[in-house]
Amino acid sequence: GRLNSREYSLTMPHKGNKSVVTSKPRESEEHSNLEDFERNSLSSIQDSFRDCDWILDRRISSRIEENKKNKGEEEEDADEEEERVRPMGPLEMFKEKIFIKCAAPMVRYSKLPFRLLCLRWGCNLTFTPMIVCKDFNASQFARDGEFTTNKLDQPLVVQFAANDPFDLASASEKLVGYCDAIDINCGCPQRWVMSDGYGSALLKKPELISDMVRMTKERCGLPVSVKIRVDDDLKKTLDVIERVQRAGVDWISVHGRTPKQKSTFPVNVESIRFAKEHATVPIIANGDIFTLQDAVKFQNETKVDGVMAARGILQNPALFKGYNSIPMDCIRDYLDISMSLGVPFHTIHQHLMFMCFPVHNRTEKSQFNNIKSLAGLLDFFCSKGIDMFPQEQPFQIV
């Protein structure tokens, strides 16, 4: 509170005296001047505060507008940068006549960590494992378990096992913005797949394949491809190709074996050349690609637009870089990617069994198969004189 100039007098109570307190304010010229001064000062301070508030509001508004402008420019720059560094999609690569080198869809194996490794070592297009589209549509739990991706995982094709146009279109709609294309599996020869009406079983129903292609393109707007196997009667293969082309398929992957032929049977190069000669859409060849030389040979002999490797790339993810056997740096990269993404040990172990299979003797294979932990895995390589993380600095106690 503010002190005033009033003077108070206290009369202590005396016996018989009912009056205990009296006050006598005394006005003076000095007192009046002081109050005027205080009133004027307060008014001046309030005016100053209002001026300051106005200035502060203007500065804050200006700063907000400036931040919005800068943020907008940064977002535009980020969008431009992202657009600039974004890898070409499959249709763009076909248009630019870039020879496509694919990591094939492989159940259990062609998941995110392995796809990232393949992209790092020479692939320019990867596929997910085959996903059963009914399960994918059924629950979020199934979707989370079957499909994972990130910004580095591009360009990416998601392969579905489907036998119903509505199911496939619904599943594909859920992936818009997360992949570059949808592939329909019409080539898997496994019994359980064919018994459910998927894979190679669809080759006997080319009109159904066409309906799935047509509806999926209409509803999700993504490019759609199909992966087929050839028939002993190439006229039937040609019928499938022509029907899906009329439905608007964007490209076709052709495996040069029939559904009844095992992987030990030589690929029919003539059937792939036949498909390429009669197709009006790009053709990707699949089967027996184990080296970059194999890929170049396929291209020269059949004029296909790309190749797809499965067993070859599982053993040597660096084959499209020109390595005929897997370099140790590629194995280190796989460990680095897998550990950073929290991949379970059994998955890492399975992949490394494929990668290291050609360079291990029988005793080493037995030892490797019995490894039960990541620490045991690193110890195994260390026992062979291989440092898996040569660039890592040792921990230091400071």
Side-chain angles (χ1 to χ4, degrees):
R2 189 169 69 242
L3 290 176
N4 58 36
S5 60
R6 292 180 179 178
E7 183 178 305
Y8 293 91
S9 65
L10 294 179
T11 303
M12 299 300 295
H14 293 282
K15 203 171 186 178
N17 188 359
K18 294 182 179 179
S19 178
V20 291
V21 178
T22 61
S23 63
K24 292 183 180 180
R26 294 185 305 173
E27 298 293 341
S28 66
E29 185 178 350
E30 180 181 356
H31 168 70
S32 179
N33 291 339
L34 180 60
E35 283 194 339
D36 290 342
F37 173 78
E38 290 175 347
R39 190 180 302 110
N40 293 335
S41 298
L42 179 61
S43 176
S44 176
I45 291 172
Q46 289 174 339
D47 291 340
S48 298
F49 278 149
R50 280 194 292 270
D51 292 341
C52 289
D53 288 342
W54 182 81
I55 294 171
L56 185 60
D57 286 341
R58 289 294 302 272
R59 288 181 177 178
I60 291 175
S61 299
S62 176
R63 182 64 58 85
I64 290 174
E65 292 298 323
E66 183 179 351
N67 288 342
K68 285 182 179 179
K69 182 180 178 181
N70 292 338
K71 185 177 180 181
E73 291 176 353
E74 289 174 0
E75 289 177 350
E76 289 178 2
D77 292 342
D79 291 340
E80 291 177 0
E81 179 69 14
E82 184 176 354
E83 184 67 24
R84 186 179 65 82
V85 301
R86 185 183 67 84
M88 285 186 180
L91 298 188
E92 295 172 290
M93 288 190 282
F94 287 131
K95 183 178 180 180
E96 296 295 326
K97 306 296 182 182
I98 296 173
F99 189 67
I100 294 183
K101 302 180 284 292
C102 304
M106 294 173 283
V107 175
R108 294 187 302 276
Y109 295 114
S110 52
K111 294 194 174 183
L112 176 60
F114 188 71
R115 296 197 301 266
L116 295 178
L117 180 72
C118 292
L119 290 170
R120 187 179 292 185
W121 284 87
C123 282
N124 50 18
L125 185 64
T126 63
F127 286 67
T128 67
M130 178 187 71
I131 301 172
V132 178
C133 110
K134 283 185 178 179
D135 297 338
F136 193 79
N137 285 327
S139 71
Q140 185 65 46
F141 179 80
R143 291 191 286 275
D144 292 340
E146 292 290 342
F147 178 74
T148 55
T149 187
N150 64 22
K151 290 184 178 180
L152 299 176
D153 187 27
Q154 54 179 322
L156 173 66
V157 182
V158 176
Q159 188 189 72
F160 279 116
N163 56 14
D164 181 88
F166 293 97
D167 286 343
L168 179 60
S170 296
S172 300
E173 283 180 324
K174 296 177 176 64
L175 291 172
V176 173
Y178 296 97
C179 68
D180 296 271
I182 300 296
D183 182 68
I184 307 172
N185 187 329
C186 304
C188 182
Q190 295 185 37
R191 289 183 181 178
W192 75 267
V193 174
M194 294 183 67
S195 65
D196 287 343
Y198 307 134
S200 294
L202 290 168
L203 295 175
K204 297 179 181 179
K205 302 176 181 179
E207 196 58 42
L208 176 57
I209 303 174
S210 300
D211 289 342
M212 289 193 290
V213 170
R214 189 179 296 109
M215 183 171 289
T216 302
K217 286 181 67 69
E218 288 175 355
R219 282 182 51 180
C220 76
L222 290 170
V224 176
S225 66
V226 297
K227 187 174 185 293
I228 66 173
R229 284 193 172 223
V230 297
D231 195 278
D232 288 324
D233 183 359
L234 290 179
K235 290 183 180 179
K236 294 182 179 179
T237 301
L238 180 58
D239 182 51
V240 173
I241 290 174
E242 290 177 341
R243 285 175 182 267
V244 296
Q245 284 180 162
R246 288 195 294 270
V249 77
D250 291 284
W251 79 87
I252 303 170
S253 301
V254 181
H255 190 130
R257 295 185 179 93
T258 69
K260 295 181 180 179
Q261 292 173 338
K262 296 182 178 180
S263 60
T264 53
F265 199 90
V267 165
N268 186 347
V269 178
E270 289 299 322
S271 66
I272 296 177
R273 182 187 294 114
F274 175 85
K276 175 59 183 173
E277 289 174 350
H278 289 82
T280 58
V281 296
I283 297 292
I284 292 178
N286 179 214
D288 287 354
I289 304 294
F290 292 95
T291 65
L292 183 59
Q293 290 76 18
D294 293 336
V296 173
K297 183 179 178 182
F298 251 105
Q299 183 185 24
N300 292 335
E301 292 183 359
T302 64
K303 308 304 179 184
V304 291
D305 303 276
V307 294
M308 177 183 290
R311 290 176 298 145
I313 206 162
L314 200 56
Q315 295 178 8
N316 178 16
L319 74 88
F320 287 128
K321 278 281 191 179
Y323 292 92
N324 292 334
S325 61
I326 186 168
M328 188 53 62
D329 282 342
C330 185
I331 296 177
R332 291 189 180 101
D333 279 352
Y334 178 69
L335 277 175
D336 180 52
I337 293 170
S338 298
M339 292 170 68
S340 67
L341 293 177
V343 177
F345 168 73
H346 68 86
T347 302
I348 297 175
H349 191 218
Q350 286 178 342
H351 272 286
L352 291 182
M353 285 174 63
F354 280 105
M355 295 180 194
C356 299
F357 184 86
V359 297
H360 283 167
N361 57 41
R362 182 174 298 180
T363 301
E364 289 174 331
K365 288 174 185 175
S366 177
Q367 293 173 352
F368 196 85
N369 290 346
N370 291 325
I371 296 173
K372 304 298 182 184
S373 68
L374 185 59
L377 188 66
L378 299 177
D379 286 343
F380 174 83
F381 284 112
C382 186
S383 69
K384 306 300 178 185
I386 301 171
D387 186 357
M388 296 308 296
F389 302 104
Q391 297 179 354
E392 292 288 330
Q393 296 297 322
F395 290 108
Q396 294 182 355
I397 300 176
V398 180

